[in-house]
Amino acid sequence: MSNNTFPDDVSGIVLRRMKEGGFDFTRIHPIDFYAIFPDEERARMAARNFRGESLRTEVSARDDGAWHLQVSKVMYATYAGIDTFEHDLESVVLPLGGVLDGWGVTQEAAHLGL
């Protein structure tokens, strides 16, 4: 698959928009992956599975009583890399009663020429 072609799923559409917006795919970025859990204990159990030099986790309460897990992984923003990490996250989240809630990345305005 060339760098110009992304699958027509949610991640592919987001990556295509990032490319159109001038995102720098040649650099590594912290990419944030999100999951929602019914309680803090299960969110923290999932978070413990993601430790390492290029990983950071944050657990926080949501207004609706559920708990939010954010896993930030420093990596290249590639379709394959994001897809693989989402599957790894899902394999931890689902057995604990959680659901995936997407991913995102922030790029500094200076790199977008703003």
Side-chain angles (χ1 to χ4, degrees):
M1 178 180 315
S2 75
N3 291 336
N4 297 328
T5 309
F6 298 108
D8 284 328
D9 61 9
V10 173
S11 289
I13 291 167
V14 170
L15 288 164
R16 194 173 312 120
R17 288 184 183 153
M18 288 165 55
K19 182 179 175 74
E20 290 166 359
F23 185 84
D24 185 356
F25 286 94
T26 65
R27 296 178 58 234
I28 58 171
H29 300 272
I31 299 181
D32 302 319
F33 297 85
Y34 305 99
I36 300 170
F37 291 88
D39 56 58
E40 181 181 9
E41 181 182 356
R42 287 187 262 187
R44 294 204 181 279
M45 287 173 65
R48 284 193 287 273
N49 286 274
F50 297 97
R51 295 191 177 174
E53 206 173 284
S54 63
L55 292 168
R56 183 180 62 81
T57 60
E58 184 176 313
V59 173
S60 58
R62 291 171 32 122
D63 292 339
D64 63 4
W67 284 78
H68 187 252
L69 169 65
Q70 175 181 327
V71 180
S72 298
K73 179 173 174 59
V74 177
M75 61 188 284
Y76 288 101
T78 66
Y79 181 85
I82 289 167
D83 189 58
T84 298
F85 192 79
E86 274 191 317
H87 281 93
D88 292 347
L89 181 61
E90 187 175 51
S91 71
V92 171
V93 167
L94 293 183
L96 292 171
V99 294
L100 295 186
D101 194 33
W103 62 270
V105 62
T106 303
Q107 181 164 347
E108 304 82 19
H111 292 113
L112 294 174
L114 301 175

